[in-house]
Amino acid sequence: METTIKATNLTKSFGDFTAVDKLNFEVEKGEIFGFLGANGAGKTTAMKMLIGISKPTAGDAMVANYKVSTQADLVKKNIGYMSQKFALYDDLNIKENIQFFGGIYGLNAKTLQQKYQQVVENLGLENYVKQLVKNLPLGLKQKLAFSVALLHQPKVVFLDEPTGGVDPITRRQFWELIYEAADRGTTIFVTTHYMDEAEYCDRISMMVDGKIKALDTPKALKKEFGAETLNEVFLNLAR
Amino acid sequence: MKKFIGFVKKEFYHIFRDKRSLFILFGMPVAQILLFGFAISNEINNVDIAILDKADDKNSKEIIVNLKASKYFNVLDYLQSEKEIETAFQKGKVKAVVTFDQDFARNLQRPKTSKLQIITDATNPNVANTITNYINSIVVKYQMVNLQQDPPPQLVQSESRMFFNPALESVYMFVPGVMTVILMLVSAMMTSISITREKEVGTMEILLVSPLKPSTVIAGKVVPYIFLSLINAIVIVLLSVFVFQMPIMGSLFWLSIESLLFIVTSLSLGILISTLSSTQQTAMMISLMGLMLPTILLSGFIFPIESMPYPLQLISHIIPAKWFIIIIKSIMLKGVGFSFFWKETLILVVMTIFLLGLSIKKYKIRLA
Ligand SMILES: Nc1ncnc2c1ncn2[C@@H]1O[C@H](COP(=O)(O)OP(=O)(O)O)[C@@H](O)[C@H]1O
Ligand SMILES: [Mg+2]
């Protein structure tokens, strides 16, 4: 198996407060890796170090076979990112968003047109093509943002609470998209605090106060803690 | 380069789809210039004039009485000789000097000779014209009423002389002021708001995760505003010239160069503000309180710097707008060359380099 993400003693402190404390883990190619934790556990902070927009206080990470500390440019070319805030341009339409975000990764006009048609077809956006993105329902915006993060076919895609604020059915649909991407070999690194979503992951890590307290497949974790659900496991750890 | 063009294109979508931006960009400059322009060019009541009466006869005295009686003029001074004309202007109060020739009474009877001379300050041709017309009509009326003459066509000869007169503020003084405020507004406030907007909605992170260099991101945000600021400057100058007949005395080349310099100064202030604020609201407040207010109040645009309390005069030195106003005032209204404003230009260049360096440094720190 090929390792795509590797964190070594990854640490971030803000003054006296350690938000992320010596993380060590590996994620394999094509894996869906769930990064769980309550609000404030340090998920976003850890992810920002992995994608190179926040400097670790200590430790380092490898992403897509490149060292984040020294090869940030190469890392950037090979990753996609969907931030916690829903982040497409509200005042642009679907096509303009795709042209812009694909364009900054160097995709040419022909490819962009193809991608645009694919995305519209895939997500059933035909009725929205003339609208500005701000008029799309939240669920569709999230799916669109995910598709946009995948435009340049990154090796790894980082999703920070991608399904915040939508109902379980829409979440389920979103996960279909994640499975499709993983099937094509894309590594998925996803944070969430929804325990139902954790069940969909290949492996999950549970983070409490900046530290990883448990890391395994959902099945193994439930077995280890003698719990029925992942929620029980999590409550056990958080105590 | 293609990425950069894509970026700029996207920026124009933002601008042209936002009513607030459009209003600030295109409504404000036009509204301000028209407002100030009409308010000021109509203000020609009680113009202070001086009189040089070489005729000193019955007719000239009666005309002077008529001038004094009109609500338009206020005779401030009686001069004794031609030599005193220049000092009268330099003292600063007088906007026109009316001269009666020795043979005024005889000329009054003859057609086609000039009867009296009006010397006006050439920095205000608009006002000078109006003054000349008013005086002319007073003299014509006098001839018709007192001498029962038909009005001959050419009575008053007016002459504009260029008096280099620092104390007398031009009515066109508002143009450099408005231009400065608008450039500041567009370059500093609009860019700081547009950069913080990307931070606020989260797209800035996406851009920083992408292979785009941070410098490309900032350049892409800034270039559209350089372009729009320049268009604004051109609109302001055109309006002033064609609607209010403001003469541009100096070189258009230097006007463009200096405007570009000030736009860059303002942009670096805008970038600096965007590094200090995380929401559009904050950026707007800092821009208004920290930039617009001092620019309007302390730059000499509305209140003359010389009459400010000393501490405020000191503060005014660090306001870039003050130096820019001095520069474009020199170019637009005085028509002097670079040797007259190189010092102010140098100060502005140093300020710009400092601000640009600071904002780039701040921006990098924020990324860490
Ligand atoms: N820039 C920062 N400065 C200071 N503290 C921060 C900063 N960013 C995050 N934190 C703190 O670090 C902790 C972890 O935050 P975060 O990574 O956003 O948590 P999560 O994404 O798991 O909800 C929180 O207590 C948060 O307040
Ligand atoms: Mg978070």
Side-chain angles (χ1 to χ4, degrees):
Chain A
M1 264 305 193
E2 194 185 326
T3 304
T4 315
I5 305 175
K6 182 172 188 223
T8 321
N9 283 326
L10 200 60
T11 303
K12 180 84 187 187
S13 308
F14 298 108
D16 289 342
F17 173 69
T18 306
V20 172
D21 198 1
K22 298 198 196 75
L23 298 192
N24 286 287
F25 61 87
E26 288 184 19
V27 180
E28 258 139 41
K29 183 171 185 293
E31 196 176 16
I32 300 175
F33 189 81
F35 210 58
L36 271 73
N39 266 331
K43 304 181 296 291
T44 300
T45 309
M47 186 179 276
K48 283 187 177 170
M49 289 189 280
L50 292 174
I51 60 180
I53 53 175
S54 171
K55 241 201 190 95
T57 314
D60 203 349
M62 298 272 286
V63 172
N65 288 330
Y66 301 108
K67 231 179 155 140
V68 177
S69 56
T70 52
Q71 298 171 297
D73 286 347
L74 289 164
V75 171
K76 284 178 174 181
K77 282 204 179 83
N78 288 289
I79 61 172
Y81 171 53
M82 183 177 161
S83 82
Q84 196 170 348
K85 294 174 189 169
F86 155 77
L88 294 175
Y89 291 106
D90 252 0
D91 54 350
L92 265 54
N93 63 29
I94 298 170
K95 190 173 195 171
E96 288 157 355
N97 266 295
I98 289 179
Q99 283 176 335
F100 175 74
F101 284 109
I104 62 178
Y105 282 92
L107 302 186
N108 63 31
K110 201 175 139 224
T111 317
L112 286 171
Q113 180 61 27
Q114 276 170 3
K115 294 269 176 187
Y116 165 66
Q117 277 160 354
Q118 262 173 31
V119 170
V120 169
E121 203 173 306
N122 249 356
L123 304 182
L125 293 172
E126 288 84 358
N127 291 329
Y128 294 99
V129 290
K130 291 214 169 73
Q131 305 253 8
L132 297 184
V133 163
K134 66 170 155 231
N135 299 322
L136 265 60
L138 181 60
L140 277 185
K141 285 187 192 176
Q142 289 171 338
K143 289 179 198 165
L144 180 62
F146 180 60
S147 310
V148 165
L150 290 175
L151 284 176
H152 59 290
Q153 294 173 309
K155 291 195 179 122
V156 194
V157 60
F158 291 86
L159 312 173
D160 196 358
E161 306 204 8
T163 55
V166 298
D167 59 273
I169 297 169
T170 315
R171 288 216 294 273
R172 179 71 238 184
Q173 291 169 350
F174 190 91
W175 276 82
E176 298 294 338
L177 295 177
I178 293 183
Y179 282 131
E180 282 171 28
D183 284 347
R184 292 191 300 265
T186 314
T187 307
I188 314 279
F189 186 98
V190 54
T191 76
T192 180
H193 59 252
Y194 294 116
M195 290 303 156
D196 60 330
E197 289 191 335
E199 298 278 0
Y200 306 148
C201 301
D202 294 329
R203 281 193 309 147
I204 52 178
S205 77
M206 289 201 175
M207 204 171 170
V208 180
D209 295 338
K211 292 190 178 72
I212 290 182
K213 287 290 176 79
L215 196 164
D216 214 326
T217 61
K219 213 168 152 191
L221 280 175
K222 280 187 279 192
K223 200 170 156 199
E224 186 186 334
F225 286 83
E228 290 283 305
T229 63
L230 282 174
N231 206 21
E232 265 177 64
V233 175
F234 186 71
L235 289 174
N236 244 313
L237 286 169
R239 261 203 301 267
Chain B
M1 195 59 206
K2 231 168 92 186
K3 292 181 190 176
F4 181 71
I5 292 170
F7 204 113
V8 171
K9 195 167 134 195
K10 168 217 126 206
E11 212 54 43
F12 276 111
Y13 284 139
H14 292 324
I15 294 166
F16 287 112
R17 284 174 192 177
D18 181 31
K19 290 207 180 71
R20 192 184 57 179
S21 307
L22 279 183
F23 173 73
I24 294 181
L25 278 174
F26 299 105
M28 290 273 265
V30 175
Q32 284 217 23
I33 284 289
L34 293 183
L35 218 71
F36 275 97
F38 283 120
I40 288 167
S41 61
N42 285 334
E43 193 190 89
I44 25 168
N45 290 341
N46 269 321
V47 174
D48 290 323
I49 57 173
I51 286 175
L52 172 56
D53 186 1
K54 288 192 280 192
D56 199 23
D57 57 19
K58 177 172 162 285
N59 295 121
S60 73
K61 278 185 180 139
E62 278 172 359
I63 289 180
I64 292 169
V65 169
N66 285 350
L67 283 175
K68 280 162 90 172
S70 95
K71 68 175 167 121
Y72 305 115
F73 301 109
N74 178 23
V75 179
L76 203 71
D77 208 356
Y78 291 93
L79 309 178
Q80 303 307 320
S81 72
E82 304 267 354
K83 274 181 254 155
E84 290 179 20
I85 293 177
E86 188 156 355
T87 36
F89 277 106
Q90 274 172 345
K91 268 193 239 155
K93 281 264 159 64
V94 161
K95 294 213 167 92
V97 173
V98 181
T99 313
F100 296 88
D101 279 345
Q102 253 139 14
D103 39 8
F104 177 68
R106 206 181 49 185
N107 281 343
L108 211 48
Q109 308 297 335
R110 285 199 304 221
K112 287 199 181 136
T113 40
S114 70
K115 312 313 190 257
L116 58 118
Q117 226 185 8
I118 301 167
I119 301 162
T120 48
D121 181 353
T123 51
N124 300 333
N126 206 21
V127 162
N129 260 335
T130 321
I131 294 174
T132 310
N133 289 338
Y134 283 5
I135 295 179
N136 199 358
S137 72
I138 287 172
V139 176
V140 169
K141 205 165 143 209
Y142 171 79
Q143 283 179 294
M144 286 165 49
V145 174
N146 296 48
L147 309 173
Q148 268 99 47
Q149 284 181 342
D150 285 337
Q154 178 77 39
L155 275 168
V156 179
Q157 189 189 58
S158 74
E159 177 190 344
S160 287
R161 281 199 211 156
M162 186 63 193
F163 287 105
F164 194 72
N165 177 359
L168 182 71
E169 292 287 293
S170 162
V171 279
Y172 296 112
M173 185 42 215
F174 76 95
V175 174
V178 168
M179 191 151 140
T180 308
V181 170
I182 295 288
L183 290 185
M184 197 70 156
L185 198 68
V186 173
S187 308
M189 185 160 116
M190 301 276 284
T191 34
S192 71
I193 290 177
S194 119
I195 295 174
T196 34
R197 184 168 87 150
E198 301 238 12
K199 286 210 269 180
E200 203 177 335
V201 299
T203 43
M204 188 54 97
E205 269 184 8
I206 312 278
L207 298 178
L208 295 177
V209 174
S210 81
L212 285 180
K213 288 193 187 70
S215 56
T216 313
V217 174
I218 289 299
K221 301 257 4 146
V222 151
V223 163
Y225 289 99
I226 296 186
F227 180 72
L228 292 171
S229 301
L230 277 177
I231 293 198
N232 259 321
I234 293 170
V235 168
I236 291 174
V237 169
L238 288 181
L239 274 179
S240 315
V241 171
F242 289 106
V243 180
F244 298 109
Q245 284 84 43
M246 181 185 83
I248 302 267
M249 315 292 292
S251 113
L252 282 177
F253 170 77
W254 279 110
L255 189 59
S256 326
I257 296 285
E258 299 282 353
S259 301
L260 205 58
L261 172 63
F262 185 65
I263 288 170
V264 176
T265 320
S266 309
L267 287 173
S268 23
L269 280 168
I271 298 172
L272 201 59
I273 289 173
S274 73
T275 63
L276 298 174
S277 37
S278 49
T279 65
Q280 296 177 69
Q281 221 72 32
T282 322
M284 188 142 119
M285 286 316 287
I286 299 182
S287 305
L288 286 176
M289 294 305 176
L291 287 185
M292 297 316 290
L293 223 55
T295 298
I296 293 171
L297 298 180
L298 298 177
S299 66
F301 168 29
I302 297 196
F303 305 113
I305 292 175
E306 308 83 57
S307 52
M308 283 177 196
Y310 189 65
L312 288 186
Q313 289 194 21
L314 283 184
I315 296 177
S316 77
H317 290 321
I318 60 162
I319 295 182
K322 170 195 162 161
W323 305 105
F324 181 62
I325 287 189
I326 296 178
I327 293 170
I328 54 173
K329 214 166 121 185
S330 310
I331 299 174
M332 285 183 176
L333 305 177
K334 293 187 182 153
V336 292
F338 185 60
S339 57
F340 282 83
F341 50 81
W342 68 269
K343 270 187 218 147
E344 286 80 5
T345 307
L346 188 66
I347 293 173
L348 212 50
V349 167
V350 171
M351 279 181 168
T352 307
I353 291 173
F354 173 75
L355 289 170
L356 211 56
L358 194 65
S359 57
I360 289 171
K361 203 170 149 214
K362 281 263 181 198
Y363 185 75
K364 285 213 174 114
I365 289 171
R366 202 180 57 77
L367 288 181

